[in-house]
Amino acid sequence: MIFFLSFILFLIGLYCVLIKKNLLKMVMGIVIMEYSVSLFLILLGYKKGGFPPIVTAGVEGTNFVDPLPQALVITAIVISIASLALIISLCMRIYQKYKTFDITKIRKLKG
Amino acid sequence: MFELYSLVILMIVGSLVAIHTKYLLSAVISLSLVGLILCVVFLYLQAPDTAITQTIVEVIALVILIRAVPIKKDTMGIKGAKETFSAIVTTIFLVLFAFFAYKALLDLPQFGFPLMTVSEGYIRDGLVKTGSANIVTAVLLDFRAYDTLGEATVLFTAILGAIVVLRKVGRK
């Protein structure tokens, strides 16, 4: 059930990308989709009653949550911020040239 | 369990506000709120390293997105022509996507009982093989170090692309 809630978050982002006409709103849809995917992967690795995967003296030996999705989600988060910087710089260039974020007006090609 | 559900529902409400609000600046701030709630969810799901990374990245993303918003012309009430055909096609696509994803979600392992076939070895041998008490760091920097190298490459390339797009010298 909680998986389906994170999937609803993904659908909201997809709707925003497909329907909205504002360029920055579409970028926000992409960011929402990234949030939902990282949330979903961390949810997949959660173990009931588990501890964070750090070996200390007081913690039982094997009762950890899954460390593999956490490590790969860290990688995905850092990549998402880099791609967000690239997307936003393209959006700023487009705004300087066309003075608008409306994608129906950006469509016409200007040299 | 109740806290987790309420936090995720709050994330959904925040993203709906971010989509439907009129002003771009408030949309950016609502989006940042969603990311910060995500940090709390990570802490609740016993993932402290991911929560720290998400917090830092969220603040940087907020700064980048605010830089892109034109403050003087914020009202952006973009009312394009109603495109009925594309709206219908999008609705059909979303419904189909939701249907097949629901079918796929039924086959997943139950929440709270993950499949840990690969991670068992990492947890068992992580401290001995790598000497790192934090298993996440051991996976990130030792077992899957090539992934981290690729991540650094992608980061470098994306920032290089952003600099090339945004620079002023050299343009005629």
Side-chain angles (χ1 to χ4, degrees), chain B residues 83-97:
Chain B
E83 296 183 4
T84 327
F85 179 70
S86 78
I88 291 172
V89 170
T90 307
T91 315
I92 292 173
F93 173 69
L94 285 181
V95 168
L96 277 179
F97 192 68

Side-chain angles (χ1 to χ4, degrees), chain B residues 59-109:
Chain B
V59 174
I60 300 172
L62 177 66
V63 172
I64 292 174
L65 277 169
I66 283 182
R67 176 64 185 84
V69 173
I71 304 288
K72 287 176 186 165
K73 288 173 62 182
D74 195 7
T75 49
M76 288 301 160
I78 291 178
K79 294 272 192 294
K82 287 279 184 186
E83 296 183 4
T84 327
F85 179 70
S86 78
I88 291 172
V89 170
T90 307
T91 315
I92 292 173
F93 173 69
L94 285 181
V95 168
L96 277 179
F97 192 68
F99 175 69
F100 285 109
Y102 181 68
K103 287 280 201 189
L105 285 178
L106 288 181
D107 285 341
L108 284 176

Side-chain angles (χ1 to χ4, degrees), chain B:
Chain B
M1 212 46 212
F2 171 73
E3 299 92 340
L4 189 60
Y5 275 101
S6 52
L7 283 173
V8 177
I9 287 172
L10 203 59
M11 280 176 71
I12 290 175
V13 172
S15 56
L16 281 177
V17 169
I19 287 177
H20 284 295
T21 187
K22 188 181 164 192
Y23 297 99
L24 277 178
L25 200 57
S26 43
V28 167
I29 291 169
S30 318
L31 191 72
S32 174
L33 174 78
V34 176
L36 290 176
I37 296 171
L38 186 61
C39 305
V40 182
V41 174
F42 283 164
L43 275 182
Y44 186 78
L45 292 174
Q46 315 286 344
D49 305 279
T50 320
I52 293 168
T53 315
Q54 174 68 30
T55 312
I56 297 168
V57 161
E58 189 51 48
V59 174
I60 300 172
L62 177 66
V63 172
I64 292 174
L65 277 169
I66 283 182
R67 176 64 185 84
V69 173
I71 304 288
K72 287 176 186 165
K73 288 173 62 182
D74 195 7
T75 49
M76 288 301 160
I78 291 178
K79 294 272 192 294
K82 287 279 184 186
E83 296 183 4
T84 327
F85 179 70
S86 78
I88 291 172
V89 170
T90 307
T91 315
I92 292 173
F93 173 69
L94 285 181
V95 168
L96 277 179
F97 192 68
F99 175 69
F100 285 109
Y102 181 68
K103 287 280 201 189
L105 285 178
L106 288 181
D107 285 341
L108 284 176
Q110 203 188 349
F111 176 66
F113 302 96
L115 287 176
M116 294 177 68
T117 44
V118 180
S119 314
E120 286 289 346
Y122 290 161
I123 289 174
R124 195 177 56 240
D125 305 332
L127 183 58
V128 180
K129 276 187 180 171
T130 67
S132 164
N134 192 343
I135 309 287
V136 174
T137 319
V139 171
L140 198 63
L141 290 179
D142 199 301
F143 292 113
R144 303 280 172 118
Y146 280 116
D147 282 349
T148 310
L149 183 65
E151 171 207 339
T153 313
V154 171
L155 197 66
F156 180 73
T157 316
I159 299 302
L160 201 66
I163 289 173
V164 167
V165 169
L166 281 181
R167 70 176 176 167
K168 290 215 170 61
V169 277
R171 291 174 63 91
K172 282 206 290 187

